[in-house]
Structures are given as C-alpha cells and as structure tokens.
Amino acid sequence: MPNPSAAMLVIGDEILSGRTRDANMYHLAGELTEAGIDLREVRVVPDEKATIIEAVRALSQRHEHVFTSGGIGPTHDDITADCIAEAFDRSIDIRADARALLEAHYAKSGTELNAARLRMARIPEGGVLIDNPVSVAPGFVVENVYVMAGVPSVFRAMVAAVLPTLTSGARIISETLQVDRGEGDIAGPLGELARQYPDLSMGSYPFQKTTGSYGANIVIRGTDASVVQEAMSKLALALQR
Amino acid sequence: MPNPSAAMLVIGDEILSGRTRDANMYHLAGELTEAGIDLREVRVVPDEKATIIEAVRALSQRHEHVFTSGGIGPTHDDITADCIAEAFDRSIDIRADARALLEAHYAKSGTELNAARLRMARIPEGGVLIDNPVSVAPGFVVENVYVMAGVPSVFRAMVAAVLPTLTSGARIISETLQVDRGEGDIAGPLGELARQYPDLSMGSYPFQKTTGSYGANIVIRGTDASVVQEAMSKLALALQR
C-alpha cells in the first residue's frame, strides 16, 4: 500500500515578498517523512481570498491530508479561516469553545478580549480545534485540511498535536553516501542502479566544497531497509571501480 | 500599471522529503521585490514528469515570468529540461553551443565529457542559454520560463544574469514599525488604516521575545514613498493613543 499523500499550503504575503524566510515547510517536510506520509506538493500563496480558496480546493481534492500555515491571527490580513469556510461551503462564526479558551487566557494577563482578538475564535462550522499550547488561539481541522498558525513555534506545536492522529504509512528508510567526485562521474552507475531497483527512490545532491572541488550526496530511500542497504552496497562497489 | 507578476517552481524530491532546506525561494523573493516584480505564487513539486509539466503549463499561463530551480544536472533524476520541452511541445537534443561550453570547461580540468555530463547540453528547441559563471552548465529560457539550477550558488548567479533582462515594474517601497504590543491591540487601528489606503499593502507579523512578551512588525508597502510615509505616520499616531 502506498504511503498517504499530503500537501502544504503556506499563506502569506511576507513569504512572497522575501521579508520572511519560511521555516515551516522544512519542519513539516521532515516530520511527515518521519511519520511515513509523503509530502507531494507545496504551494505558497498571498493573503488573497480567491487564490487561497482555489488552492485549498485543489490540494484537498488531490491529497489525503492538507496542512496550511499562516493567516489565523487577529489582524485584517488574517483571512485563512474565512477562506476555508468558503472553500467547503460552510458557515463561520465565533464559536463558544474557542471563545472560552481565549477568555480564560486573556483574563489571566488582564488583557482585553477585544473584537480583533475575538476573530481568532471564528471557526468554520463543524471544525475540530487544534490545541495551541504556546499562545492559546486554536487551529482547526475541516475535512482533510489542518489549519495551523504561521508563527514557527506555534506551527511546530500544532504539528506535534496533529501528527499522532493521522494514519501513517510505512516509515521511509534513507541512506546517504557522500562521494568526493563530480555528479557527472556518478550519473552512469546511479542511473543503472535506479533501473535495477524501480521501487527505490534515488537522488543525487551535488555540492561544492570551499576548496572548490565537487562532490555529491547520493540518497537511496525505500520502505525495506535490507533492500536499501543492498542497493547502497552495490552503488559503493560500482563507484570504487 | 500593475507590476509584472511572477511565479517560482521549485523542483526536487529533496525539498519535499525535508532532506534539504530550500534557500532559493527566499533569495528570489527578495530579488524580485527589489526589481519591482510581484512574486505571486510558489510551487514545490517532486522529480516527476507529469507533475512538473502540469505545473509549468499552469504557471506559465497565469504569470508573466516563471522561474524554476532544480533538476538540470547530469543524473537520472534531472528531468527538468525534458519536461520543459514537453510542456511547450518542443523537441530537445544536445545543442552545439551548450556542448561547446562543456567541452571547453572539462578539457581544462582533464575531465571526461561523458554521456551523463553531455545531458547538461540538452536544450529545448529555441531555448536561449542562461550563463553559469559558477559551474558552466547553462540554464535556459523557453517562452516565459527561466530554467535555473538548484545549487544555491549557481541559482543566484543565474538570477543575477537574468533579472536585468526583464521588464521591471515600479520599485516597491516598504516601511516597518516594530510595536511592543500584542497583535490584538494593533488590529483595530491597522484594519481602519487599510480601509483608508486600499492601494497600500499592510501586514502584521507577530513575534514573541525571549522574555515571553509579544510584539509585532507592521509593514506598509506601496509604490509611492510619500503615501507609504503618510500612512505610517497615521498608524504611529493611532497606536500612541
């Protein structure tokens, strides 16, 4: 059985303008691989209603799980919750349980739960809350879409809350061989090996040392550790010649 | 006249598996903003022919410029050039000028220009070469798609070669105000200001200090510096109250 497939939608003008360097994609990619879920596609879109709705619908139809980051704070550019509601033709309003979480939190610090902060309690109809142990305002799940915060510390906490609830596939085993030769020398034997093992994924990732010489990391991935090791041994042997 | 719109397509299993943290998106986003070109969408896709072709076609139709990174090296998983050819129904073969560049380069170091390295001279029919001052193997342009390497040092060099050739829009002026209050306190006045200035883009980017207290960077962007400054002054005044 193939692993479950997933997509990520990063929402935010600040990523596309180069103001902020996204950290959440790299984090989620590593966590999903660890959990045996294949991240198949990532899209980054601006804070624009029509664009977000279109992307949510497209990704939700194509993949088993969709993870979004960004746009669930209290300011006018935080429109993700409304877009998710519209993407799935659901109503949206301030919900009692989410409001109660915010009330308890802001009461402790004597902060006013004003209209802006209350926006963070707007949850599409039927959504299931995702716990936010960092700053309380919850994420939520609607159908197969997990809506999470963009602030990296909060995003990570939400991912940690969500991942154990997902059906995960077989864990992917990965072995890496670092080769101090240019990719052009490796490509022949590697291509031959890839043909011999169609079930394994093989990639070559070149680098240049500060001394100027070239090398590459060859990565072989698969679900059966013994097959991955067998292929890696053959590759090492082929490259020694 | 609105700024030209652009999209980026990041190609590579290594990004989606979490093995490599992409650096090219952040770099390109900053360079395009500086040049007055709006990066409107980024997609990250695996090394799979059908997926790459579909994304190239979709982005090429929607945006004035498309920039790709990754998949133009010598190994079997480097399939970007073939995908671009197929996306635009063009033939592809080893081209004399690209081959000559590689021959001259490898002759200098006494390295064999083998079949794998020659793959890097495969250019879709009618493509215009993009100079690679770092490791010689060229990128290329087909229609509105700029095909560049994934290795960050090479990607950056290719971006530097390409950007001056593009029609750029008005330069975007950006001003930032750091506020030591939670976003919930800022949201009201900021939303009001956004309604007053529909031509400006205003965003709020929250952070938490190591001391635990919250703050936000408010960013106002637009093409007219005096209007940006006027809006920023109004915001500062509103937040002092």
Side-chain angles (χ1 to χ4, degrees):
Chain A
M1 211 178 69
N3 285 343
S5 78
M8 179 181 191
L9 182 63
V10 178
I11 299 164
D13 291 351
E14 73 277 20
I15 310 290
L16 293 171
S17 72
R19 191 182 174 281
T20 301
R21 183 178 177 186
D22 171 69
N24 295 335
M25 174 170 85
Y26 180 56
H27 176 72
L28 183 68
E31 293 291 303
L32 290 178
T33 295
E34 184 70 22
I37 296 172
D38 287 348
L39 181 61
R40 305 268 313 141
E41 184 174 0
V42 179
R43 293 195 194 179
V44 187
V45 296
D47 300 315
E48 286 178 11
K49 203 165 175 179
T51 311
I52 296 170
I53 291 170
E54 187 204 335
V56 166
R57 285 182 176 154
L59 296 176
S60 164
Q61 280 162 18
R62 284 187 193 194
H63 302 282
E64 283 167 71
H65 308 296
V66 178
F67 304 90
T68 79
S69 91
I72 63 169
T75 59
H76 69 283
D77 55 344
D78 290 308
I79 59 174
T80 301
D82 287 85
C83 293
I84 298 285
E86 194 165 328
F88 292 111
D89 293 316
R90 300 197 180 199
S91 61
I92 180 167
D93 207 344
I94 292 172
R95 210 168 77 180
D97 54 353
R99 184 192 178 116
L101 289 171
L102 296 174
E103 276 172 350
H105 173 65
Y106 290 115
K108 262 191 286 186
S109 60
T111 306
E112 185 201 356
L113 182 54
N114 58 17
R117 294 197 172 96
L118 261 179
R119 291 190 71 216
M120 296 190 287
R122 286 170 65 77
I123 307 289
E125 189 194 350
V128 174
L129 300 189
I130 299 174
D131 190 33
N132 171 0
V134 178
S135 54
V136 178
F140 56 87
V141 190
V142 172
E143 302 205 2
N144 62 344
V145 181
Y146 296 79
V147 178
M148 301 183 283
V151 175
S153 59
V154 183
F155 180 80
R156 284 165 183 251
M158 289 182 173
V159 168
V162 156
L163 277 189
T165 69
L166 303 178
T167 318
S168 79
R171 176 144 174 233
I172 302 289
I173 309 298
S174 167
E175 289 210 11
T176 301
L177 178 69
Q178 185 173 316
V179 184
D180 286 333
R181 291 152 73 176
E183 271 198 301
D185 284 332
I186 303 160
L190 184 63
E192 175 55 35
L193 196 71
R195 279 186 290 276
Q196 279 175 43
Y197 292 91
D199 290 343
L200 299 179
S201 149
M202 301 185 193
S204 168
Y205 307 108
F207 59 81
Q208 186 171 16
K209 293 189 180 174
T210 49
T211 58
S213 70
Y214 289 89
N217 285 304
I218 312 296
V219 181
I220 301 183
R221 300 170 70 224
T223 52
D224 185 330
S226 64
V227 178
V228 169
Q229 278 164 18
E230 181 188 292
M232 190 51 102
S233 302
K234 281 195 190 173
L235 180 66
L237 201 68
L239 293 178
Q240 274 169 15
R241 278 173 205 154
Chain B
M1 211 178 69
N3 284 342
S5 77
M8 179 182 191
L9 181 64
V10 178
I11 299 164
D13 290 351
E14 73 277 20
I15 309 290
L16 293 170
S17 73
R19 189 180 177 284
T20 301
R21 182 175 178 188
D22 171 69
N24 295 334
M25 175 170 83
Y26 180 56
H27 175 73
L28 183 67
E31 293 291 305
L32 290 178
T33 295
E34 184 70 22
I37 296 172
D38 287 349
L39 181 60
R40 304 269 313 142
E41 183 175 0
V42 178
R43 293 195 193 179
V44 187
V45 295
D47 299 315
E48 286 177 11
K49 203 165 175 179
T51 311
I52 296 170
I53 291 170
E54 188 204 334
V56 166
R57 285 183 176 152
L59 296 176
S60 163
Q61 279 162 19
R62 284 189 193 194
H63 302 281
E64 283 168 71
H65 308 296
V66 179
F67 303 91
T68 80
S69 90
I72 62 168
T75 58
H76 68 284
D77 54 344
D78 290 308
I79 59 175
T80 300
D82 287 85
C83 293
I84 298 286
E86 194 166 330
F88 292 111
D89 294 317
R90 299 196 181 200
S91 62
I92 180 167
D93 207 343
I94 291 171
R95 208 167 78 180
D97 53 353
R99 183 191 179 119
L101 288 170
L102 295 174
E103 276 173 349
H105 173 65
Y106 289 115
K108 261 192 286 184
S109 60
T111 307
E112 186 200 355
L113 181 54
N114 59 17
R117 293 198 173 96
L118 261 178
R119 291 191 70 215
M120 297 189 287
R122 286 171 66 76
I123 307 291
E125 191 193 349
V128 174
L129 300 189
I130 298 174
D131 191 33
N132 171 359
V134 178
S135 53
V136 178
F140 57 85
V141 191
V142 172
E143 302 206 0
N144 61 344
V145 181
Y146 297 79
V147 178
M148 300 183 284
V151 175
S153 59
V154 183
F155 181 80
R156 284 165 182 250
M158 289 182 174
V159 168
V162 156
L163 276 188
T165 69
L166 304 178
T167 318
S168 80
R171 179 149 169 226
I172 302 289
I173 309 298
S174 166
E175 288 211 11
T176 302
L177 178 69
Q178 185 171 316
V179 184
D180 286 333
R181 292 153 74 175
E183 271 198 302
D185 284 333
I186 303 159
L190 184 63
E192 176 53 36
L193 196 70
R195 279 185 291 275
Q196 279 176 43
Y197 292 90
D199 290 343
L200 299 181
S201 148
M202 300 185 194
S204 167
Y205 308 108
F207 58 81
Q208 186 171 13
K209 293 188 181 174
T210 49
T211 59
S213 70
Y214 288 90
N217 285 305
I218 313 295
V219 180
I220 301 184
R221 301 169 69 225
T223 51
D224 184 330
S226 63
V227 179
V228 170
Q229 278 164 18
E230 181 187 292
M232 191 51 103
S233 302
K234 283 194 189 175
L235 180 67
L237 201 68
L239 292 177
Q240 273 169 17
R241 279 175 203 152

